Amino acid sequence: MRGSFPVEQFKTWSTPFYYYDLELLEHTLSRALMSVSDVSFLIHYALKANAHAQILSRVSRANLGADCVSGNEILAALAAGIAPARILFAGVGKADWEIELALQHDIACFNVESIPEIQVIGEIAARAGKTARIALRVNPNVNAHTHHYITTGLTENKFGIPLSALSAAIDTSLHYPHLSLEGIHAHIGSQIVEFSPFKDLCRVLNDLQDSMAACGIYLKHINVGGGLGINYEHPNHHPVADFEAYFRIFREHLHLREGQKLHFELGRSLVAACGTLITKVLYVKEGEQKTFAIVDAAMTDLLRPALYQAYHRIENITSVSTEARVYDVVGPVCESSDLFARDFPLATTCRGDLLALRSTGAYGEAMASGYNLRALPTSHTSEEIFHHK
Ligand SMILES: *Cc1c(COP(=O)(O)O)cnc(C)c1O
């Protein structure tokens, strides 16, 4: 089954470009919100997945919070109308100006990742005469069983405070009068489709809460990060992530205290499916063992296959052929890793055909680069088409 796209419209736009289906985005956001149901569960959108202004405005209108990893992401979230009280600031390497900016806008919480960072935020907050609310990002040593480049919760990863250093981190936090310790945070990885690691995470967090409570520390919130995966193989049959099952895990396994909030930071599962990279076939080249479909998009437009050997379903959306052949779909950049798929079955493909690389709304356009002096990809949304009608 092929996705249904406004192909005639696509033919008028220069390639490569990202196409965002904003109706699917809104549907996904409302499904996520319906599945949370619980008022103590708060979803924050991880802007790093895609900070396209129209996506952010939909996220803001749906009343989601924001999970930001840079000062510029904080500014983008504010510009989209997301309230500072719903903005979190994460990341292992926050620069001083970014901390100052976050304090100046009085954002909800800093997710802090090391003792030196706690000290720096404590000092900057004192100088600014502000209180910084912080959550300690712990490294729970839970294996997310995903690609090792997107596994973040093992002790070998750079993220979070190791459990063995947690009590020192708590002491440091309590030492600074301008810090308010409000939560604990963990994020174990991305594209997680087998949910037992989330149960392991709940178990670790329950134990942590118990031992903190024994020391008289009460937390206003727990943050379990993001990581919910999507179905990259079958985007037409499974366009929406399994939010129901995901939130149920936490409802059943995490022990929230009276009045405590549970924060989620979802990126991929909210925006991946609504994005498609459209590229034109430049040449079909017969190699000795392979047939290459050389396209005008490259790893500079969509890095995930080169970076994590990620799979994206590819469809030829203009071929009228009923025959299929296998192609290596490759870009023009001078790197062997500039390859979107190996031996991928496509309807017989010719120069000029348009290919759709599916489920590229997350970590697609956001990771684009100018390598080889290539232009950044452009983007279009379903909204533009409705305006033309
Ligand atoms: C990237 C990231 C997220 C979002 O992850 P997804 O897999 O896209 O849901 C959430 N929290 C933190 C700390 C992250 O680094």
Side-chain angles (χ1 to χ4, degrees):
M1 184 174 147
R2 240 186 223 183
S4 58
F5 291 107
V7 175
E8 291 311 310
Q9 179 71 62
F10 284 2
K11 288 178 183 167
T12 69
W13 287 333
S14 60
T15 52
F17 62 86
Y18 278 91
Y19 175 71
Y20 298 115
D21 179 343
L22 298 177
E23 285 70 42
L24 178 57
L25 172 65
E26 291 192 339
H27 174 69
T28 306
L29 296 176
S30 66
R31 284 278 293 275
L33 288 166
M34 260 158 42
S35 317
V36 260
S37 58
D38 197 316
V39 289
S40 59
F41 287 21
L42 299 175
I43 306 176
H44 301 77
Y45 170 58
L47 265 77
K48 73 175 195 275
N50 191 325
H52 188 286
Q54 292 203 53
I55 292 181
L56 294 188
S57 88
R58 295 304 194 285
V59 164
S60 169
R61 250 190 271 159
N63 263 323
L64 267 61
D67 171 42
C68 300
V69 291
S70 71
N72 287 342
E73 283 192 359
I74 294 173
L75 292 173
L78 291 167
I82 297 174
R86 294 295 307 280
I87 296 179
L88 311 178
F89 185 20
V92 282
K94 300 175 189 74
D96 293 16
W97 74 267
E98 294 175 310
I99 296 168
E100 285 157 11
L101 176 88
L103 284 169
Q104 183 193 323
H105 288 282
D106 213 19
I107 64 148
C109 193
F110 293 80
N111 295 335
V112 299
E113 304 217 10
S114 66
I115 290 175
E117 183 194 335
I118 297 170
Q119 294 166 331
V120 168
I121 295 176
E123 285 157 17
I124 293 178
R127 232 182 294 137
K130 301 268 193 183
T131 296
R133 290 169 290 275
I134 64 171
L136 302 178
R137 175 172 182 175
V138 298
N139 185 325
N141 198 25
V142 167
N143 193 337
H145 300 292
T146 181
H147 190 277
H148 62 282
Y149 277 14
I150 49 176
T151 294
T152 54
L154 287 174
T155 49
E156 69 191 47
N157 302 126
K158 69 179 174 182
F159 301 101
I161 298 166
L163 293 175
S164 56
L166 189 60
S167 77
I170 293 170
D171 289 346
T172 308
S173 311
L174 299 176
H175 169 78
Y176 287 85
H178 289 260
L179 294 182
S180 167
L181 175 58
E182 312 222 319
I184 47 173
H185 170 275
H187 170 74
I188 57 175
S190 201
Q191 185 50 23
I192 297 167
V193 287
E194 196 267 297
F195 288 169
S196 66
F198 291 126
K199 291 185 199 165
D200 296 341
L201 174 62
C202 289
R203 222 167 296 131
V204 172
L205 292 173
N206 288 338
D207 290 349
L208 266 183
Q209 278 234 81
D210 289 346
S211 52
M212 289 173 86
C215 305
I217 297 168
Y218 171 79
L219 300 166
K220 286 193 179 157
H221 73 262
I222 306 291
N223 185 327
V224 291
L228 171 59
I230 64 147
N231 189 324
Y232 280 101
E233 280 76 25
H234 304 290
N236 300 320
H237 297 289
H238 300 283
V240 180
D242 195 352
F243 294 111
E244 282 287 338
Y246 171 72
F247 291 119
R248 194 180 320 123
I249 295 267
F250 296 96
R251 207 171 284 129
E252 288 175 1
H253 296 271
L254 191 68
H255 306 146
L256 287 185
R257 303 290 204 268
E258 184 77 28
Q260 205 167 44
K261 300 267 192 255
L262 180 57
H263 291 180
F264 296 88
E265 302 169 337
L266 296 176
R268 182 191 314 275
S269 53
L270 298 176
V271 296
C274 79
T276 305
L277 176 60
I278 303 295
T279 181
K280 189 174 281 175
V281 177
L282 296 173
Y283 303 102
V284 175
K285 168 167 143 175
E286 298 293 342
E288 283 190 355
Q289 295 156 25
K290 298 258 190 184
T291 304
F292 297 97
I294 302 168
V295 299
D296 65 359
M299 62 193 288
T300 55
D301 304 296
L302 176 66
L303 185 60
R304 299 186 68 254
L307 188 61
Y308 329 113
Q309 296 149 337
Y311 171 93
H312 288 279
R313 182 184 157 88
I314 305 178
E315 292 162 0
N316 185 326
I317 57 172
T318 52
S319 175
V320 290
S321 170
T322 51
E323 319 252 296
R325 285 187 63 185
V326 295
Y327 298 87
D328 274 18
V329 179
V330 302
V333 162
C334 312
E335 298 286 344
S336 297
S337 60
D338 187 24
L339 173 135
F340 293 120
R342 264 183 232 282
D343 298 323
F344 202 95
L346 293 174
T348 306
T349 292
C350 309
R351 171 175 165 84
D353 282 350
L354 293 181
L355 304 187
L357 279 80
R358 302 293 306 276
S359 318
T360 48
Y363 309 108
E365 191 178 3
M367 282 191 179
S369 79
Y371 182 40
N372 283 201
L373 280 189
R374 287 173 55 86
L376 291 177
T378 53
S379 65
H380 296 279
T381 69
S382 49
E383 182 123 296
E384 291 173 51
I385 295 168
F386 298 129
H387 284 169
H388 281 286
K389 271 185 188 160

PDB file of all heavy atoms in Angstrom, residues 17 28 48 79 126 212 259 306:
ATOM      1  N   PHE A  17      12.450  18.200  -0.845  1.00  0.00           N
ATOM      2  CA  PHE A  17      11.754  18.980   0.186  1.00  0.00           C
ATOM      3  C   PHE A  17      11.080  18.040   1.182  1.00  0.00           C
ATOM      4  O   PHE A  17      10.757  16.897   0.856  1.00  0.00           O
ATOM      5  CB  PHE A  17      10.721  19.939  -0.436  1.00  0.00           C
ATOM      6  CG  PHE A  17       9.622  19.263  -1.203  1.00  0.00           C
ATOM      7  CD1 PHE A  17       8.467  18.803  -0.570  1.00  0.00           C
ATOM      8  CD2 PHE A  17       9.734  19.087  -2.585  1.00  0.00           C
ATOM      9  CE1 PHE A  17       7.446  18.184  -1.295  1.00  0.00           C
ATOM     10  CE2 PHE A  17       8.720  18.464  -3.310  1.00  0.00           C
ATOM     11  CZ  PHE A  17       7.577  18.007  -2.667  1.00  0.00           C
ATOM     12  N   THR A  28      -2.358  12.936  15.651  1.00  0.00           N
ATOM     13  CA  THR A  28      -1.413  12.269  16.555  1.00  0.00           C
ATOM     14  C   THR A  28      -1.388  12.952  17.919  1.00  0.00           C
ATOM     15  O   THR A  28      -1.426  12.287  18.967  1.00  0.00           O
ATOM     16  CB  THR A  28      -0.002  12.274  15.936  1.00  0.00           C
ATOM     17  OG1 THR A  28      -0.081  11.713  14.625  1.00  0.00           O
ATOM     18  CG2 THR A  28       0.977  11.474  16.775  1.00  0.00           C
ATOM     19  N   LYS A  48      13.939  19.136  19.747  1.00  0.00           N
ATOM     20  CA  LYS A  48      15.066  18.774  18.887  1.00  0.00           C
ATOM     21  C   LYS A  48      14.641  17.849  17.754  1.00  0.00           C
ATOM     22  O   LYS A  48      15.302  17.797  16.725  1.00  0.00           O
ATOM     23  CB  LYS A  48      16.207  18.164  19.713  1.00  0.00           C
ATOM     24  CG  LYS A  48      15.970  16.759  20.220  1.00  0.00           C
ATOM     25  CD  LYS A  48      17.255  16.275  20.922  1.00  0.00           C
ATOM     26  CE  LYS A  48      17.281  14.783  21.141  1.00  0.00           C
ATOM     27  NZ  LYS A  48      16.593  14.359  22.366  1.00  0.00           N
ATOM     28  N   ALA A  79       8.490  31.647  21.335  1.00  0.00           N
ATOM     29  CA  ALA A  79       7.926  32.308  20.155  1.00  0.00           C
ATOM     30  C   ALA A  79       6.666  31.598  19.675  1.00  0.00           C
ATOM     31  O   ALA A  79       5.763  32.223  19.126  1.00  0.00           O
ATOM     32  CB  ALA A  79       8.969  32.375  19.033  1.00  0.00           C
ATOM     33  N   ALA A 126      22.029  32.726  41.809  1.00  0.00           N
ATOM     34  CA  ALA A 126      22.254  33.654  42.922  1.00  0.00           C
ATOM     35  C   ALA A 126      22.570  35.045  42.373  1.00  0.00           C
ATOM     36  O   ALA A 126      22.020  36.047  42.828  1.00  0.00           O
ATOM     37  CB  ALA A 126      23.400  33.147  43.801  1.00  0.00           C
ATOM     38  N   MET A 212      14.870   8.396  48.694  1.00  0.00           N
ATOM     39  CA  MET A 212      14.884   9.849  48.914  1.00  0.00           C
ATOM     40  C   MET A 212      13.855  10.225  49.989  1.00  0.00           C
ATOM     41  O   MET A 212      14.128  11.089  50.834  1.00  0.00           O
ATOM     42  CB  MET A 212      14.627  10.593  47.599  1.00  0.00           C
ATOM     43  CG  MET A 212      15.835  10.482  46.659  1.00  0.00           C
ATOM     44  SD  MET A 212      15.555  11.155  44.996  1.00  0.00           S
ATOM     45  CE  MET A 212      15.951  12.873  45.239  1.00  0.00           C
ATOM     46  N   GLY A 259      -0.248  14.144  44.768  1.00  0.00           N
ATOM     47  CA  GLY A 259       0.021  15.482  44.217  1.00  0.00           C
ATOM     48  C   GLY A 259       1.207  15.554  43.268  1.00  0.00           C
ATOM     49  O   GLY A 259       1.495  16.616  42.718  1.00  0.00           O
ATOM     50  N   ALA A 306      22.586   7.248   7.427  1.00  0.00           N
ATOM     51  CA  ALA A 306      24.052   7.245   7.500  1.00  0.00           C
ATOM     52  C   ALA A 306      24.533   7.184   8.946  1.00  0.00           C
ATOM     53  O   ALA A 306      25.519   6.529   9.263  1.00  0.00           O
ATOM     54  CB  ALA A 306      24.612   8.496   6.809  1.00  0.00           C
TER      55      ALA A 306
END
